[in-house]
Amino acid sequence: MIPLPDSRTEPDGTAVIRVLSYNIRSMRDDRTALARVISACAPDLVLIQEAPRFFRWRKAAEKLARAAGLVYVTGGGTAAGPMILSTLRAHVEHTEDVLLPRTPGLHQRGFATAVVRIGGVRLGVLSCHLSLAARERDEQAGLLLERLAAMDVPYAVAGGDLNERPQGRSFGRLAASLTDAWAAEPWGGELTSTPRDPHQRIDAIFATKGVEVLGCGVPHGLPGVRESDLTAATDHLPVLAALRLPATG
């Protein structure tokens, strides 16, 4: 497998970053394996779904961040599950957790969002976990696009569990306006659900115009990522992307 580029900042301020999107099932599985997977991926930004959001959820989030060598940025209970972690390389300008309109009888959904600076780049970041219901999911895809546009940043990246395959309406709606990183530059594995029987791609990372995708996929074979950890950590496989962000001053 071709190596995924490491994170770096180039002399002109252009940033190469690694972004990881991961549904962690409220940390109900092997937490040590989960932290090892995240750490081995060496991400600058981690877009979490199904973070702990009830009793003492902040403490659980901090423990995970610490175990993976990261810091908590925003989200978790305040965003109904989506959460963002980062390295100290990311200078956080602003965070906002957004609760989405809720359909009676369905789970509350939300976005965890932040604006960060890495190198000479200002970047919007969004973690999402879209609805299981098709109509609500399509509305949430539209709200995601609106939220990215409203962040007023040169570039943005969004990632999450879409609860839909690429052929679906909501996935297609996002891919029509944003770059689907796996489709742009496939690397590693494609299928994200489930770890023991991968048969569908329902987790993805998207980027706005101007972001160059250097590689994206499930990090099978990445040094330090054990297949036993991938199956023990949670009920989804992670998606890792390397992106090049031109300097914005």
Side-chain angles (χ1 to χ4, degrees):
M1 181 171 64
I2 298 173
L4 197 68
D6 293 328
S7 300
R8 66 181 185 274
T9 301
E10 298 176 353
D12 67 350
T14 293
V16 174
I17 68 170
R18 286 189 179 191
V19 179
L20 185 72
S21 181
Y22 209 175
N23 183 321
I24 64 171
R25 206 166 78 119
S26 298
M27 296 171 62
R28 289 182 288 171
D29 300 289
D30 188 330
R31 297 186 179 191
T32 302
L34 176 65
R36 279 198 299 260
V37 170
I38 295 173
S39 180
C41 289
D44 298 285
L45 298 165
V46 184
L47 313 182
I48 297 286
Q49 301 85 51
E50 291 194 38
R53 57 192 183 98
F54 297 114
F55 180 68
R56 302 183 77 177
W57 67 266
R58 295 179 191 274
K59 185 174 182 180
E62 291 289 354
K63 281 186 174 181
L64 175 61
R66 193 179 310 114
L70 302 167
V71 295
Y72 168 83
V73 175
T74 194
T78 49
M83 183 170 74
I84 299 172
L85 307 177
S86 78
T87 63
L88 294 176
R89 185 183 183 210
H91 300 273
V92 180
E93 284 190 4
H94 173 73
T95 66
E96 184 176 2
D97 297 328
V98 180
L99 294 179
L100 302 177
R102 181 182 179 185
T103 302
L106 298 180
H107 291 298
Q108 176 71 64
R109 303 283 178 174
F111 300 148
T113 74
V115 175
V116 304
R117 283 187 180 271
I118 300 178
V121 181
R122 191 163 177 259
L123 176 70
V125 186
L126 186 151
S127 177
C128 69
H129 187 184
L130 303 189
S131 176
L132 289 166
R135 179 177 294 180
E136 186 179 55
R137 183 168 61 244
D138 191 50
E139 292 173 354
Q140 291 169 356
L143 292 171
L144 188 158
L145 294 173
E146 291 177 9
R147 177 62 53 172
L148 291 184
M151 294 176 83
D152 190 29
V153 289
Y155 311 111
V157 60
D161 177 354
L162 305 185
N163 273 317
E164 186 172 85
R165 301 179 185 187
Q167 298 79 13
R169 180 177 176 178
S170 303
F171 199 122
R173 184 174 183 177
L174 295 176
S177 298
L178 305 169
T179 299
D180 174 2
W182 160 262
E185 195 64 40
W187 168 91
E190 176 183 8
L191 306 178
T192 64
S193 176
T194 59
R196 299 184 191 284
D197 177 30
H199 62 279
Q200 57 183 349
R201 180 164 78 99
I202 61 173
D203 305 84
I205 292 174
F206 295 93
T208 56
K209 185 178 180 180
V211 176
E212 181 184 358
V213 181
L214 304 177
C216 177
V218 177
H220 296 299
L222 187 74
V225 176
R226 309 173 189 172
E227 289 299 317
S228 59
D229 283 345
L230 289 174
T231 56
T234 178
D235 64 346
H236 282 244
L237 291 169
V239 180
L240 177 63
L243 309 172
R244 178 180 281 114
L245 312 172
T248 54

